[in-house]
Amino acid sequence: MAHILLIDDDELLRDTVLQMLQLDRHEVTEAPDGQTALRLVAGRSGRGFDLVITDVLMPGMDGTRVIVELRRSHPRLPIIAISGGRRVLSPQFNLETAALAGAVCQLAKPFTRQALQAAVAVALECAPT
């Protein structure tokens, strides 16, 4: 069981992913945007988050910026990037950018519960002990 910060501006998708993670007994904290997420991470005294899952394309601060900021403040925190792409940008381009910023795993939307489980397992394995 891990404490996961889930960041996505799409409330329906966030709720779906939340339910998937809770089925695997993870504790999940939600954030609707990057600014809120960074405040939540900064405000956690004692035990922090074990994993962050962030959408890449969000209004305001996008997920790539969130990843860069978290790499600066919490370099050992594993991050999974998720993206469905919009307009002319493909999900693959967005996910490659997120990987370059420091995301340890990437998932293209829509994804299955099994794909999410696999990414969470890999990301948590990557986390230093």
Side-chain angles (χ1 to χ4, degrees):
M1 184 171 89
H3 189 182
I4 299 172
L5 175 59
L6 175 61
I7 313 162
D8 201 304
D9 61 313
D10 181 333
E11 186 176 353
L12 182 59
L13 181 104
R14 206 172 58 238
D15 187 57
T16 301
V17 175
L18 168 76
Q19 289 178 39
M20 287 188 219
L21 293 167
Q22 287 178 334
L23 283 171
D24 292 324
R25 304 177 61 105
H26 295 296
E27 180 183 347
V28 182
T29 299
E30 300 175 75
D33 58 64
Q35 292 284 5
T36 301
L38 292 179
R39 281 194 302 272
L40 286 168
V41 171
R44 297 268 316 169
S45 59
R47 184 173 180 266
F49 294 103
D50 301 309
L51 173 66
V52 171
I53 300 174
T54 185
D55 187 17
V56 177
L57 294 175
M58 296 182 288
M61 179 183 287
D62 69 13
T64 302
R65 178 67 188 265
V66 171
I67 294 167
V68 168
E69 294 298 324
L70 288 175
R71 282 286 148 259
R72 286 185 186 146
S73 63
H74 296 78
R76 301 173 76 165
L77 180 62
I79 302 167
I80 297 173
I82 58 177
S83 181
R86 290 188 197 135
R87 297 185 283 289
V88 297
L89 297 176
S90 72
Q92 198 56 42
F93 175 81
N94 297 327
L95 294 172
E96 288 171 5
T97 303
L100 290 172
V104 297
C105 295
Q106 303 81 40
L107 286 173
K109 296 176 191 174
F111 48 82
T112 64
R113 179 171 175 228
Q114 292 76 21
L116 179 62
Q117 287 172 319
V120 168
V122 167
L124 291 174
E125 264 184 36
C126 292
T129 55

